Amino acid sequence: MPNLTLYGIPNCDTVKKARNYLDARNLGYHFHDYKKAGAIAADLERWSAVVGWEKLLNKAGTTFKKLPDADKADIDEAKAVALMVANPSMIKRPVVEGGQTLLVGFKEAEWDALLSQK
């Protein structure tokens, strides 16, 4: 199993579910706390190339909804990455990366399919 990094916010319920999932399967991981370590543009750009910025940007969250209309208008990849770096709460959580594995959000069946092969 490649080294996994779990990106998220500790008090997020979905991140808690993901951590419990990994712990229950003895899948070791490093936790990258956006609140303490921030979000890195290079990571977001790399992930966008794989899954698309649309999947990474959480438009359903309150942080995005509270943005001024000008910030929400005409979003492209560069603007989305800049918004997510400035406001890591806008990143869909969790993100898990390791080797060729990249998971965005927590869906147990999807995680089973990708992580049980490792």
Side-chain angles (χ1 to χ4, degrees):
M1 183 77 200
N3 290 332
L4 295 176
T5 300
L6 175 78
Y7 297 83
I9 296 169
N11 64 348
C12 171
D13 288 339
T14 307
V15 170
K16 288 177 185 176
K17 288 178 190 174
R19 293 179 88 168
N20 289 337
Y21 175 95
L22 294 172
D23 291 342
R25 288 156 181 80
N26 294 316
L27 296 172
Y29 61 92
H30 165 74
F31 182 65
H32 179 100
D33 182 347
Y34 289 135
K35 294 288 186 188
K36 292 181 181 175
I40 300 166
D43 291 341
L44 293 163
E45 291 164 356
R46 184 175 65 255
W47 302 336
S48 290
V50 176
V51 300
W53 65 265
E54 298 90 341
K55 185 170 184 175
L56 287 172
L57 182 63
N58 181 8
K59 291 183 177 181
T62 55
T63 304
F64 183 84
K65 290 178 180 178
K66 289 180 181 178
L67 285 176
D69 288 341
D71 288 346
K72 293 188 244 183
D74 302 321
I75 296 180
D76 59 11
E77 182 176 4
K79 188 173 182 179
V81 167
L83 286 170
M84 290 184 281
V85 167
N87 304 285
S89 295
M90 280 193 241
I91 303 168
K92 177 83 172 168
R93 296 182 300 270
V95 174
V96 172
E97 182 177 44
Q100 299 299 312
T101 300
L102 179 63
L103 296 162
V104 178
F106 180 72
K107 293 181 181 166
E108 191 167 337
E110 180 184 1
W111 283 42
D112 284 343
L114 286 174
L115 295 175
S116 65
Q117 300 170 12
K118 309 294 182 212

